[in-house]
Amino acid sequence: MAELTSIAATSTQSGKSIKDTLVDVLKPLPKKQQLAELLNLFDKAVDLDETISEIVSEAWYYLTTTGLWSLEYPDLKTLQKSIGYEQFVATALKKYRLDVVNKQSQAKGILKNWGKLPHDALPDGIKPERFGLKILRQLNSLSKVCSLEGSISLLTSAVKSRLLKPIPHSRSNHKTFLTPTDVQNVLNQLKGRVTHPRNRQTARNGKNKNVEEGEDNGEVDGEEDNVEEAGGNDEVSGEEDNVEEGGGNDEVDSGEHNTEEVAHLDGEGEQEDDTEEIPRIPPAGDRLDDEEGLKLLEWSHDLHWANFCKNHLRRLAGAGLDMYTNVTKKELQKRLRLVFRYRADLSTVRIKKPRYFRRTSRVPNSITAKLEDGTINIDSVFDYILKPEIFELIEEEFEMYLYHLRDEQDGQKRRGWMRHMFYSLVQQLVRQDPVYYALIAAARPDKKTWLICYPYYVKYQVEGESTDFAHLDINVDKFVKTGKGKNIIQGSLSLDDENEHGCTLLVPGFHRHIHEWWARVKQRGQDSSGYTTNAKKTYLPADQRDFGRLVPVPCKRGAVRITMPEILHGSTPVAKSIQRTLFNWPTGICADHQMLDTEEAETWNQVAQCHQSMEAPMKSTSGEGFRYSRPLFPFPGVTKLSSTSCVGDALIGARRWDDIQVQEERNILLGPDDKSALQLAEEIRERLVQAFFHAFPYVRMNEERAYLDRSYFRNKYGPRPEAERDGSSLASEELSGMSLVDNDEDMEEEEEDSELEFEEACEDATTT
């Protein structure tokens, strides 16, 4: 049978439809051969879809990083509109990104069980021509139930058996390499479920019952809702809104609504299909989070808002999206249409149309009242960096750092920490973000606005890593006696959706009990407290009963967590999925513009110099040195983000806070004029994104120059090269967490040398 491209070409040349062309090709063949050809076509379509997504992703990456779009377009938004970005490119980018993550997850599972990546595990004689997601998932399942040696034997036998006993009219008869069907047959054999070779439908089913029960099939519905609303061209920018915030004429709606469609909106009646939960419009006074609100918006859109009575429509907008509802039904439908159209970038809609939303949805002037439990998650703060064109570059940078990371440092497991990643582009962007700055400044008890971001590394945990801990990032004894450290507000940004099985654990409201708890600890004789306080063995069951247990507080993708320093916190014990987290640490600057919140930490001059040279500080924010050593020089691929604002410069020590231009920007961002503050924040963010795009090609260039044939960018699609102790890798070993080879022998030699020197010193001391 002709290939997919040939069918399309024949259809174009003959003027026939795809359907007629397909019938012409199939009809002359025997029915069994027709079936075989169609099944083969489906296989080819899946592979082609995966390949197209990769090609589109790489093409878009090349277009954005080289700046070619600027030759004919003023900005990326104009280009996106002209090529139908949302309808095709964005979907392909999303699919490719998910495919890469799923492939990596399956490959890591194979590495964990077989000790080798799939490219290295299988012999050349049966190695597939391409490791697609389907075959990787099957190999991962096989690695869980059979050793590598046993699997190679079974897989080799499966290939030989297929070649010796060909299936009539099947194209796989001539494939001498491993196919997904071969792996599936081995899995069936191991589970005692022999499937007839011709019955290939189960092997193509994304929910294959023959694969281990409970395994994630990794399939993602990439279909986008591209419904265009009739009536009104509601552009986010430039539209005039004549409805006042506090006013609005609540007209009585005389239109009829379909009672059958909305009879179950309040949860009345039975749910027909229990496989998919139907969203419910919450009662008045309730408030859904953004994810649930948008889900409800999309569901209600399919039912048509004209069928809703005004009361339900107001609850949908108010409780679901925190919008003002004291307007006419017609006006409310108009606003909902705009939010629906730009639902992928809700934070921008809120900035552009602040009068649509209640004040709690905007950047608060003060969030102290919201820190009643000592911690708060604020959704959608960084949604603007989650857009595919920038987030795929962020992921690329994370993967580059992970590629140059060893699992152990000084005999310690990395436990998800990337201790060599201090100045990635996304970290630099987040440190200079004006909205994040405003939130932290508002949350500080002392309301200090002179802040500098203390450089810190990131967390990139993968499935199976141990991440368990429980502590406070302050010396509790000094805090109780003097209040030292009370102003160091802790902030984090999540780049992945967390759940209760993989997230931060907190004791909500612990700041109200920390004094009483510490008195108990002292009575028990457990009051040893350094720069930080480990609570793993001192927070006993009786304390948990009286003061609260560590409970999971998952953060959404793009959300920030702001926590008071006296909140006991930790992490779930074992990582269940990929989780990437950034830690900002904006630290207060004293009046002398030198000393920071804690006198033991670095000074402003020292931290500013670290940002300038892109080196790790000698101490952490608490004043303690890094426990597992620190990088001695910047990561070779690091590239500085260009200046985008005066406040941003001050946050990284490039300007002083007593600079008149810095003070002018700060006064706008933190001032009473919300409209001016949001407008300035939006302008700075746009400059940050453009600076990110401009800098990323240099990250790649610097990394390739430093690592040559061992570069991540040169090897990311192929097998990882064996490590050698050349100049580049030896230099990299000086970086904490960076190595491609084990250096146990070197560590043992260093320990022996140290012991010998210690013994000699003791002998000299005794003689003296």
Side-chain angles (χ1 to χ4, degrees):
M1 180 175 174
E3 297 290 343
L4 293 170
T5 52
S6 300
I7 293 174
T10 303
S11 172
T12 303
Q13 293 170 2
S14 64
K16 294 183 177 180
S17 65
I18 294 289
K19 175 183 176 181
D20 292 339
T21 305
L22 192 61
V23 170
D24 290 344
V25 173
L26 290 172
K27 204 167 185 181
L29 304 176
K31 288 187 177 181
K32 289 185 177 180
Q33 188 174 352
Q34 289 184 31
L35 174 61
E37 294 291 356
L38 286 172
L39 295 178
N40 181 66
L41 183 144
F42 296 146
D43 272 342
K44 291 288 185 182
V46 171
D47 291 339
L48 185 60
D49 185 43
E50 197 172 309
T51 302
I52 289 175
S53 297
E54 182 175 346
I55 292 173
V56 171
S57 177
E58 291 301 325
W60 182 255
Y61 167 82
Y62 184 84
L63 177 69
T64 54
T65 56
T66 58
L68 288 175
W69 55 269
S70 61
L71 296 176
E72 294 188 13
Y73 299 92
D75 51 52
L76 280 174
K77 289 183 180 178
T78 305
L79 168 64
Q80 290 172 350
K81 289 181 180 179
S82 69
I83 64 173
Y85 176 86
E86 292 295 337
Q87 288 74 20
F88 173 66
V89 178
T91 303
L93 293 177
K94 178 181 178 182
K95 184 183 186 308
Y96 174 66
R97 188 168 63 252
L98 292 171
D99 283 347
V100 169
V101 171
N102 286 330
K103 285 181 182 179
Q104 290 173 345
S105 177
Q106 302 301 327
K108 287 173 183 176
I110 294 169
L111 176 63
K112 177 182 177 181
N113 297 319
W114 281 349
K116 292 183 178 181
L117 290 170
H119 300 83
D120 304 321
L122 299 180
D124 292 337
I126 62 170
K127 188 180 296 183
E129 57 183 1
R130 183 173 178 275
F131 282 96
L133 179 58
K134 182 176 180 179
I135 198 168
L136 283 174
R137 188 181 298 119
Q138 292 172 325
L139 288 172
N140 186 21
S141 297
L142 181 60
S143 72
K144 296 175 182 178
V145 296
C146 188
S147 67
L148 176 58
E149 294 76 12
S151 297
I152 291 174
S153 176
L154 291 170
L155 292 172
T156 304
S157 298
V159 173
K160 291 180 179 179
S161 177
R162 171 171 51 78
L163 295 175
L164 291 173
K165 300 177 181 178
I167 302 173
H169 312 297
S170 174
R171 286 181 173 268
S172 66
N173 295 338
H174 306 292
K175 294 180 179 178
T176 58
F177 50 82
L178 196 65
T179 67
T181 304
D182 298 327
V183 186
Q184 188 59 53
N185 286 337
V186 170
L187 285 168
N188 294 339
Q189 178 183 344
L190 290 173
K191 295 185 178 183
R193 300 177 182 177
V194 180
T195 305
H196 195 279
R198 292 188 181 90
N199 186 12
R200 300 168 61 189
Q201 291 181 348
T202 53
R204 289 179 173 79
N205 189 341
K207 299 178 180 178
N208 194 333
K209 295 182 180 180
N210 293 324
V211 180
E212 278 196 303
E213 184 176 355
E215 181 185 63
D216 185 4
N217 63 20
E219 291 186 357
V220 179
D221 182 9
E223 185 177 358
E224 296 291 335
D225 189 347
N226 295 316
V227 178
E228 283 293 332
E229 283 293 322
N233 182 18
D234 292 339
E235 294 296 333
V236 173
S237 59
E239 180 189 354
E240 292 297 328
D241 181 10
N242 297 319
V243 183
E244 294 298 328
E245 278 182 7
N249 180 18
D250 288 345
E251 293 181 0
V252 178
D253 177 49
S254 59
E256 297 295 326
H257 61 271
N258 189 331
T259 54
E260 294 181 1
E261 291 273 12
V262 297
H264 63 282
L265 295 178
D266 293 308
E268 303 162 357
E270 295 293 327
Q271 184 172 314
E272 294 182 3
D273 184 2
D274 59 5
T275 61
E276 182 177 357
E277 183 180 356
I278 296 177
R280 307 290 186 188
I281 292 183
D286 281 9
R287 171 71 174 97
L288 299 179
D289 56 40
D290 284 346
E291 182 179 355
E292 290 298 321
L294 289 173
K295 181 179 178 182
L296 181 62
L297 179 72
E298 293 177 349
W299 166 80
S300 63
H301 170 268
D302 294 338
L303 294 179
H304 303 294
W305 295 318
N307 293 324
F308 285 65
C309 68
K310 184 175 182 181
N311 184 43
H312 277 115
L313 204 62
R314 292 179 66 179
R315 283 160 55 185
L316 166 67
L321 297 163
D322 208 18
M323 298 174 66
Y324 284 115
T325 60
N326 53 345
V327 294
T328 65
K329 180 180 178 182
K330 182 178 179 181
E331 175 65 24
L332 195 55
Q333 285 180 298
K334 168 189 165 186
R335 296 183 180 190
L336 286 172
R337 281 199 301 271
L338 182 138
V339 174
F340 178 81
R341 181 174 299 172
Y342 296 99
R343 62 193 183 280
D345 195 6
L346 185 59
S347 59
T348 299
V349 180
R350 283 178 169 151
I351 292 174
K352 293 278 191 178
K353 292 295 177 186
R355 288 184 292 175
Y356 285 11
F357 299 91
R358 295 168 181 151
R359 286 188 177 272
T360 53
S361 299
R362 292 183 270 170
V363 180
N365 292 322
S366 174
I367 61 171
T368 306
K370 293 180 176 293
L371 283 169
E372 182 180 350
D373 288 332
T375 184
I376 180 175
N377 289 3
I378 307 177
D379 296 339
S380 304
V381 175
F382 279 94
D383 278 1
Y384 76 102
I385 68 171
L386 302 181
K387 296 177 182 178
E389 61 267 26
I390 184 172
F391 193 70
E392 66 176 0
L393 302 184
I394 293 172
E395 290 187 307
E396 189 89 87
E397 202 172 17
F398 264 88
E399 294 305 317
M400 176 189 71
Y401 277 95
L402 186 62
Y403 179 86
H404 292 292
L405 180 71
R406 65 173 175 236
D407 290 332
E408 291 190 8
Q409 170 65 28
D410 296 338
Q412 297 288 332
K413 292 286 187 181
R414 75 179 190 92
R415 301 172 70 86
W417 296 106
M418 303 264 276
R419 297 189 178 93
H420 61 316
M421 187 171 172
F422 279 80
Y423 296 98
S424 66
L425 292 181
V426 66
Q427 287 172 285
Q428 296 180 64
L429 181 150
V430 169
R431 287 166 185 156
Q432 300 177 53
D433 183 83
V435 176
Y436 203 178
Y437 161 68
L439 290 170
I440 294 295
R444 284 180 64 95
D446 62 0
K447 303 306 176 189
K448 185 174 290 184
T449 61
W450 286 17
L451 308 177
I452 187 169
C453 292
Y454 211 99
Y456 202 71
Y457 43 79
V458 306
K459 198 166 192 178
Y460 185 178
Q461 64 185 38
V462 297
E463 183 179 357
E465 281 190 310
S466 174
T467 55
D468 187 26
F469 73 91
H471 73 189
L472 296 100
D473 288 301
I474 54 174
N475 181 309
V476 176
D477 193 56
K478 290 184 178 179
F479 171 83
V480 169
K481 291 177 181 177
T482 67
K484 184 175 183 178
K486 66 180 180 180
N487 293 310
I488 308 178
I489 296 296
Q490 300 167 6
S492 64
L493 162 63
S494 296
L495 296 180
D496 301 278
D497 285 323
E498 299 175 354
N499 57 55
E500 61 182 10
H501 303 295
C503 66
T504 295
L505 303 177
L506 296 168
V507 181
F510 190 71
H511 59 302
R512 294 190 288 269
H513 309 296
I514 188 171
H515 289 79
E516 184 180 351
W517 170 70
W518 191 246
R520 288 188 183 183
V521 172
K522 295 183 74 172
Q523 288 178 353
R524 297 194 293 251
Q526 298 177 310
D527 54 329
S528 58
S529 181
Y531 291 95
T532 60
T533 305
N534 188 347
K536 192 72 177 172
K537 296 181 180 179
T538 56
Y539 199 60
L540 305 182
D543 301 328
Q544 298 176 30
R545 183 184 64 248
D546 295 338
F547 308 133
R549 298 181 181 276
L550 284 157
V551 297
V553 186
C555 236
K556 293 180 181 177
R557 186 170 176 249
V560 298
R561 175 182 292 110
I562 296 176
T563 306
M564 297 172 67
E566 58 265 45
I567 294 295
L568 177 60
H569 61 279
S571 176
T572 46
V574 179
K576 300 294 185 182
S577 61
I578 289 176
Q579 194 64 53
R580 292 160 292 195
T581 311
L582 277 64
F583 304 92
N584 208 22
W585 287 110
T587 307
I589 306 169
C590 295
D592 62 358
H593 216 289
Q594 284 301 315
M595 187 181 296
L596 305 184
D597 279 326
T598 52
E599 60 186 19
E600 294 88 354
E602 310 273 33
T603 65
W604 178 86
N605 270 340
Q606 291 169 327
V607 175
Q609 181 57 42
C610 287
H611 281 290
Q612 178 63 32
S613 59
M614 311 198 84
E615 294 179 319
M618 297 296 294
K619 304 174 185 177
S620 65
T621 51
S622 65
E624 182 182 21
F626 291 100
R627 294 185 179 182
Y628 304 110
S629 74
R630 55 179 284 279
L632 301 183
F633 55 87
F635 179 75
V638 74
T639 300
K640 185 177 288 293
L641 204 66
S642 59
S643 173
T644 56
S645 69
C646 298
V647 164
D649 289 346
L651 287 167
I652 59 172
R655 288 177 184 250
R656 290 172 57 96
W657 280 96
D658 49 16
D659 183 314
I660 187 65
Q661 291 177 297
V662 174
Q663 292 180 355
E664 187 177 60
E665 276 193 358
R666 179 204 60 181
N667 293 341
I668 295 174
L669 288 171
L670 305 182
D673 188 343
D674 286 349
K675 183 177 180 180
S676 297
L678 292 171
Q679 182 178 350
L680 177 58
E682 181 187 2
E683 291 172 357
I684 294 174
R685 283 181 157 185
E686 288 178 355
R687 294 197 292 266
L688 281 168
V689 170
Q690 293 305 317
F692 185 100
F693 283 133
H694 177 75
F696 191 85
Y698 295 98
V699 172
R700 181 168 188 165
M701 186 187 306
N702 288 336
E703 194 267 352
E704 288 183 340
R705 285 178 177 176
Y707 289 101
L708 301 176
D709 291 339
R710 291 174 186 80
S711 161
Y712 160 77
F713 289 101
R714 296 188 186 183
N715 295 285
K716 64 177 181 177
Y717 295 124
R720 188 172 179 170
E722 293 185 7
E724 293 182 6
R725 290 184 176 275
D726 57 9
S728 178
S729 59
L730 282 173
S732 296
E733 294 228 0
E734 296 296 330
L735 285 171
S736 173
M738 289 185 62
S739 179
L740 300 179
V741 296
D742 294 328
N743 60 348
D744 293 341
E745 295 180 0
D746 291 347
M747 291 177 62
E748 291 173 1
E749 290 175 3
E750 290 174 3
E751 291 174 358
E752 291 173 0
D753 291 342
S754 299
E755 291 175 2
L756 182 60
E757 291 173 3
F758 178 74
E759 291 172 359
E760 291 175 349
C762 290
E763 290 176 0
D764 292 343
T766 303
T767 303
T768 304

